[in-house]
Amino acid sequence: MESPTKRLRASLSLDEPAHDDRDKFAQLYEASQKSGVLLPNADTNAAEASVSDDDDSDNWDVPTRLSRWLTANGAELDKLRIETYAPEVRGVHAKKPFSSGDRVMLIPRNCLITVEMGKATEIGQKLLPLQFAAPKHVFLMMFLLTDMELGNDSFFKPYYDSLPATLGNLPIFWTEEELGWLQGSHILQQIEDRKAAIRRDYETICAVDPTFARFTLERFSWARMIVCSRNFGITIDGVKTAALVPYADMLNHYRPRETSWTFDDDADGFTITALRGIASGSQVYDSYGKKCNHRFLLNYGFAVQDNTEEDGRNPNEVLMPLQLMENEAPALFAKKQRYLHDSGVYTMHTRFSTCHGDADTREGLSFLRLIVATESEFDTFSVQTPAHAIPPVSLANESRALKHIAALATVQLFQYATTLDQDEASVGTYPLFANRTQALFFMMGEKRVCHFYQSMAYDVVPLLQQPPDVIQATVAEKYEPEDDAKSRYVDDVTAFLLGEA
């Protein structure tokens, strides 16, 4: 949604009202140092308040024009303000406190841009028979691009003025030097895939309507990422749709979520409701969901430095290229290959997180058990379960699986240009809002996953090679009292293979 502010995770909040600008600036500075948030100028927030009702609208700044346009059309924003921290870096703050259950904002239906509005355009009608990977995004783009051509005659002009003119924080617009900061990560391929998909959609639309070529591919890409990063999936009058929601799309990301949003049929508008108390001066956040940093960076242009959830689980992932070992017995190799195909599996490449219960990681561990299985182990589980759902087979098989993933993690670490230690030392040497910092946060997340699996093999394999009674005693003493990712894995696997102690 708001770019590039979404990368700024923590609040620039003030627990107490500032007595003067000097006090306010000091509090903001202290908060920014602790949380890693870009510091605004001390007088940034005065712009909206300083505009009187009788000022000429041509002199209003962008946040003021947006707020007044929405309010004139029935929006409820009286307890909110937009803070501009830097060019195209904004957030929404509470002017007055909210209690849990309070409605934070209402954006009326007529101020929303919906998929149906895009379908109703002349170009949208021509595209209805076509198939797109993200059709809702395409139709929102059709309205956005064509309506923006109206300039001052567009009803949505104040909203369009609030959109970032450039999206340099999003990796599809990064330079070659900036992309080099992501060396070794699969996200580079995802970036190229995204660019290719955008180019295909653009060429398809131009083939249907050659006049659409008046929009350059660069402009089309801008619109695609505006929609990708800002749209809300909602239901209006029983119809599932997606919409661009002015003002609401400026809320930055924070977990655990502090607000919830929906389209309220009774209020005939998009509403955001507080799930907890929000103090006066605090930033009002939205949650973009539990996501790996590759999705945050690719779609929103930021990465979360500590992407750990309340339950201690971290959704960051790294792609591991799993494949059968070609040096094993040809007959067993062929049996495993047939088994994969019979299970509907044609690639075992898997995104691993540190949580063995995550769906992708669970599937990846299943593939690992297959890859390292002996013929007798294979004959045991292959008749009972498909390849993507193999549970722990034996202590020996699990030990080999951990060694295999640790070896792959080591190879992966060598693909990166820098080590985790070097990255951690670099954090703080660049502006917190800079692409370089976001690349560091992202790469550190991947490298920590790799180090986790190296640590797993180092610590857990020796344990699994002990007699069952020693394993159970060690688990009860060392792992059961803990609630970290490694302990949860050890508890679950040993309980499955050995039973409860």
Side-chain angles (χ1 to χ4, degrees):
M1 297 168 181
E2 178 65 2
S3 300
T5 333
K6 290 187 183 62
R7 62 184 117 187
L8 309 178
R9 183 171 185 270
S11 171
L12 286 173
S13 61
L14 301 176
D15 295 331
E16 298 293 338
H19 296 294
D20 56 35
D21 284 345
R22 183 183 297 271
D23 289 344
K24 181 175 183 180
F25 188 82
Q27 291 182 57
L28 286 172
Y29 182 82
E30 182 179 0
S32 70
Q33 295 303 301
K34 292 179 179 178
S35 64
V37 179
L38 173 64
L39 179 67
N41 292 326
D43 60 354
T44 299
N45 306 319
E48 184 174 345
S50 67
V51 179
S52 63
D53 290 336
D54 58 357
D55 277 338
D56 190 290
S57 61
D58 290 340
N59 296 325
W60 295 347
D61 60 11
V62 168
T64 301
R65 289 201 303 272
L66 177 65
S67 300
R68 295 199 175 194
W69 168 68
L70 288 168
T71 301
N73 283 280
E76 296 176 8
L77 303 169
D78 55 299
K79 295 173 69 173
L80 299 170
R81 69 170 181 267
I82 297 171
E83 292 200 3
T84 301
Y85 313 131
E88 298 185 358
V89 183
R90 300 185 182 118
V92 175
H93 287 244
K95 290 195 292 188
K96 298 180 181 179
F98 292 96
S99 299
S100 178
D102 285 352
R103 188 156 75 190
V104 173
M105 76 169 66
L106 165 68
I107 307 297
R109 182 200 295 243
N110 67 316
C111 293
L112 273 55
I113 297 175
T114 65
V115 170
E116 288 65 38
M117 292 164 65
K119 290 180 177 179
T121 61
E122 182 179 353
I123 181 62
Q125 288 291 301
K126 295 178 181 179
L127 300 181
L128 287 176
L130 303 183
Q131 298 293 320
F132 294 96
K136 291 182 179 180
H137 290 182
V138 168
F139 288 114
L140 285 172
M141 292 167 61
M142 294 307 98
F143 185 90
L144 181 68
L145 287 170
T146 56
D147 192 64
M148 288 183 77
E149 289 185 298
L150 298 177
N152 290 333
D153 292 331
S154 170
F155 172 72
F156 293 98
K157 179 66 161 54
Y159 174 53
Y160 299 150
D161 288 344
S162 75
L163 297 175
T166 61
L167 295 173
N169 62 306
L170 293 172
I172 73 161
F173 300 110
W174 282 13
T175 65
E176 288 300 316
E177 178 185 1
E178 290 173 317
L179 292 174
W181 301 332
L182 304 175
Q183 177 183 322
S185 173
H186 180 65
I187 198 173
L188 288 172
Q189 183 60 53
Q190 292 177 297
I191 293 168
E192 289 305 310
D193 291 345
R194 175 66 59 84
K195 289 180 179 178
I198 292 173
R199 188 180 303 108
R200 285 195 301 271
D201 285 348
Y202 177 73
E203 292 171 351
T204 297
I205 296 171
C206 287
V208 171
D209 184 353
T211 68
F212 192 77
R214 66 188 185 275
F215 302 110
T216 64
L217 175 59
E218 182 180 7
R219 182 64 171 169
F220 183 83
S221 300
W222 173 88
R224 173 69 172 80
M225 297 312 297
I226 283 286
V227 168
C228 173
S229 61
R230 289 171 175 266
N231 81 95
F232 294 84
I234 55 178
T235 300
I236 302 178
D237 298 333
V239 177
K240 290 185 177 181
T241 186
L244 296 175
V245 186
Y247 207 106
D249 61 6
M250 291 188 181
L251 268 64
N252 296 316
H253 169 71
Y254 185 79
R255 296 280 291 174
R257 66 180 189 148
E258 300 176 344
T259 60
S260 66
W261 49 262
T262 188
F263 185 88
D264 188 325
D265 288 324
D266 292 334
D268 199 31
F270 180 94
T271 61
I272 293 181
T273 303
L275 298 178
R276 41 146 284 188
I278 301 174
S280 176
S282 294
Q283 187 170 171
V284 181
Y285 288 105
D286 179 23
S287 166
Y288 301 173
K290 178 183 177 181
K291 293 181 174 71
C292 171
N293 263 338
H294 83 270
R295 294 179 63 188
F296 284 134
L297 188 60
L298 186 63
N299 295 325
Y300 306 114
F302 72 92
V304 179
Q305 183 173 11
D306 181 7
N307 199 19
T308 304
E309 294 285 309
E310 275 191 300
D311 61 6
R313 289 166 170 78
N314 191 311
N316 286 344
E317 302 169 328
V318 61
L319 183 74
M320 296 290 186
L322 304 184
Q323 56 187 0
L324 297 176
M325 293 185 288
E326 296 183 0
N327 62 345
E328 70 180 346
L332 180 56
F333 182 91
K335 288 168 67 174
K336 290 181 179 180
Q337 200 167 48
R338 285 195 302 272
Y339 172 60
L340 285 170
H341 290 176
D342 290 345
S343 299
V345 177
Y346 296 95
T347 177
M348 292 188 292
H349 296 348
T350 305
R351 301 195 67 91
F352 281 84
S353 74
T354 58
C355 179
H356 72 286
D358 288 347
D360 287 346
T361 305
R362 187 168 62 247
E363 185 174 75
L365 289 170
S366 175
F367 293 149
L368 286 168
R369 292 163 187 143
L370 168 65
I371 291 169
V372 302
T374 64
E375 188 157 14
S376 61
E377 289 170 343
F378 175 79
D379 290 341
T380 298
F381 63 71
S382 61
V383 297
Q384 301 174 9
T385 56
H388 58 269
I390 302 169
V393 177
S394 67
L395 294 172
N397 178 275
E398 200 70 12
S399 295
R400 295 195 300 274
L402 288 178
K403 289 180 180 179
H404 194 76
I405 186 65
L408 291 174
T410 301
V411 172
Q412 179 61 31
L413 285 169
F414 277 109
Q415 307 306 307
Y416 302 126
T418 58
T419 66
L420 179 58
D421 287 342
Q422 289 172 325
D423 290 348
E424 290 175 339
S426 295
V427 171
T429 61
Y430 306 97
L432 288 166
F433 53 91
N435 290 347
R436 184 70 181 96
T437 299
Q438 302 311 310
L440 281 171
F441 289 165
F442 172 78
M443 297 298 282
M444 287 162 59
E446 281 205 356
K447 292 169 187 177
R448 286 179 180 134
V449 175
C450 293
H451 281 282
F452 172 82
Y453 283 103
Q454 287 182 320
S455 174
M456 285 279 284
Y458 184 83
D459 293 338
V460 179
V461 169
L463 172 65
L464 298 182
Q465 295 173 340
Q466 299 298 313
D469 59 333
V470 174
I471 294 174
Q472 290 179 318
T474 303
V475 170
E477 177 184 356
K478 181 177 179 180
Y479 292 101
E480 284 182 359
E482 303 299 325
D483 193 32
D484 57 272
K486 185 185 298 183
S487 297
R488 287 191 292 268
Y489 166 84
V490 172
D491 289 347
D492 289 349
V493 167
T494 56
F496 184 88
L497 292 173
L498 301 176
E500 299 293 341

